Amino acid sequence: MREYSIAAIPADGIGPEVIAAGLQALRTLEQRSGDFRLRVEEFPWGSDYYKAHGVMMPADGLERLKRFDAIFFGAVGAPDVPDHISLWGLRLPICQGFDQYANVRPTKILPGIVPPLRDCGPGDLDWVIVRENSEGEYSGHGGRAHRGLPEEVGTEVAIFTRVGVTRIMRYAFRLAQARPRKFLTVVTKSNAQRHGMVMWDEIAAEVSREFPDVTWDKMLVDAMTVRMVLKPASLDTIVATNLHADILSDLAAALAGSLGVAPTGNIDPERRFPSMFEPIHGSAFDIAGKGIANPIATFWTGAQMLEHLGETAAAARLMAAVERVTASGVLTPDLGGQATTQEVTNAVCNAIRSANA
């Protein structure tokens, strides 16, 4: 039997609720398959840990995570902890410390979900957004001077390196090559950002020559928002910088119906370190504890994790179960339904057990 070690970090807000749901579905898959086993260890890191210990995770946190095959992450952020502390204290140190440079965010309209776009349904919007996840606008370089004075200044320096841009372009072209349409859109802002973004464009053109079977085009990020809304079927695989893809993937999730259905994989393609898988919806403290958080993004995230581990059949079974449940109308309030987190979870687990799933 194949065995995998999983570090679960539920963290904040609805994170514990959706991670519990995700683990329930993964356990059901494990029992149905009989081919693999997940050894899960949970870590209580996050904003509550910060309020008790002054740090989001212990100093040896990364060292403790290194031995795992994957990380299953909930959400980070709390109203009484500054966002830059929660983000830079837990999620970003894991992403950067394990060089998870490819942030992969698939988006499609699931059966039974009514998206906000007119005349757009399943099949019309089926994208994968590849986000550069190690540098760019979120490099953390910059600073502040003359605090509190009229001349106070804050700088935020975007870092683009040839190594960083080349490797994310290769990853995106390779992913596009593996998808049926073999089509990639490179998002840029080189008309206004004339240094790093021009280099981004030049490297995209260089890397494209390694993939003659992939068709590609280029869009300025502002025009890209228009294209996503008005011509969703014209897109397939998308690659963008850390900031641009962060914003565009939230728009993509909204166009597909809800942030509650959007998954993420933070991938180390070279597999030197564990990759981390998380729903993108955030901690959502406004609904935490109400039992109505949408677990679909976490199920989809779990499917991404299984694919990364090589359990493609189990991943496909999980997504087939999710689509059967959404098509049947068992939906949480964010999707216009009345089901609770547990009701959706139970329905997905029952669908996994079904002989037809």
Side-chain angles (χ1 to χ4, degrees):
M1 179 181 287
R2 298 177 296 274
E3 201 167 85
Y4 307 100
S5 57
I6 307 298
I9 308 176
D12 302 333
I14 63 172
E17 300 170 52
V18 296
I19 289 297
L23 290 174
Q24 183 180 336
L26 290 171
R27 292 297 187 205
T28 305
L29 275 171
E30 183 182 64
Q31 293 162 9
R32 164 72 193 271
S33 167
D35 294 331
F36 68 92
R37 180 184 173 200
L38 302 177
R39 291 187 292 104
V40 179
E41 183 176 344
E42 193 166 307
F43 293 87
W45 304 338
S47 294
D48 285 343
Y49 190 91
Y50 173 80
K51 285 179 274 189
H53 302 279
V55 290
M56 294 290 290
M57 67 175 173
D60 66 344
L62 292 184
E63 195 61 37
R64 292 167 66 179
L65 292 174
K66 270 185 186 178
R67 62 184 175 86
F68 289 89
D69 295 309
I71 302 165
F72 202 33
F73 190 87
V76 71
D80 52 355
V81 176
D83 287 342
H84 67 279
I85 288 177
S86 58
L87 186 64
W88 283 97
L90 185 58
R91 185 187 174 277
L92 287 182
I94 295 172
C95 290
Q96 295 186 352
F98 289 155
D99 203 17
Q100 298 166 348
Y101 66 83
N103 179 281
V104 182
R105 300 187 170 193
T107 306
K108 65 179 178 179
I109 299 173
L110 298 174
I113 293 178
V114 179
L117 291 180
R118 184 180 66 246
D119 302 325
C120 186
D124 296 322
L125 191 162
D126 186 355
W127 306 331
V128 177
I129 297 178
V130 178
R131 169 185 173 186
E132 199 293 313
N133 207 35
S134 66
E135 52 179 42
E137 305 88 349
Y138 295 173
S139 299
H141 285 263
R144 292 173 64 182
H146 313 300
R147 287 176 180 260
L149 298 175
E151 62 271 26
E152 182 174 0
V153 60
T155 60
E156 203 73 50
V157 182
I159 304 291
F160 297 95
T161 67
R162 175 163 285 274
V163 167
V165 178
T166 300
R167 67 185 185 176
I168 200 63
M169 285 296 172
R170 281 206 180 105
Y171 186 93
F173 271 96
R174 199 172 292 121
L175 180 60
Q177 187 180 51
R179 284 169 60 82
R181 291 177 63 182
K182 298 183 186 300
F183 178 61
L184 176 68
T185 298
V186 176
V187 178
T188 185
K189 190 57 182 170
S190 50
N191 61 338
Q193 294 175 290
R194 58 196 176 120
H195 303 299
M197 286 275 77
V198 170
M199 187 176 81
W200 176 272
D201 290 352
E202 292 171 354
I203 293 174
E206 292 170 14
V207 172
S208 73
R209 293 194 283 270
E210 302 173 20
F211 300 87
D213 58 333
V214 175
T215 303
W216 72 289
D217 64 4
K218 186 174 70 172
M219 290 292 294
L220 296 176
V221 65
D222 43 348
M224 184 64 172
T225 62
V226 177
R227 182 173 170 185
M228 290 169 69
V229 173
L230 298 183
K231 297 181 179 180
S234 73
L235 296 163
D236 187 77
T237 311
I238 300 160
V239 63
T241 69
N242 216 330
L243 173 63
H244 292 164
D246 189 9
I247 296 168
L248 293 178
S249 57
D250 276 17
L251 172 59
L255 295 176
S258 171
L259 283 176
V261 301
T264 307
N266 300 287
I267 310 296
D268 166 26
E270 282 75 43
R271 297 177 183 263
R272 300 155 296 172
F273 306 105
S275 293
M276 181 166 67
F277 300 86
E278 58 174 328
I280 75 169
H281 49 55
S283 52
F285 263 85
D286 57 324
I287 60 169
K290 296 182 179 179
I292 58 172
N294 192 340
I296 290 176
T298 309
F299 298 149
W300 198 343
T301 293
Q304 279 189 286
M305 183 170 70
L306 289 170
E307 286 178 0
H308 182 75
L309 295 172
E311 299 296 336
T312 54
R317 181 174 290 132
L318 175 53
M319 287 309 298
V322 168
E323 293 192 14
R324 286 180 64 193
V325 168
T326 59
S328 73
V330 181
L331 304 170
T332 45
D334 59 303
L335 293 172
Q338 297 181 339
T340 66
T341 306
Q342 194 59 57
E343 287 169 344
V344 174
T345 303
N346 291 343
V348 168
C349 290
N350 289 335
I352 291 169
R353 295 186 191 102
S354 166
N356 297 322

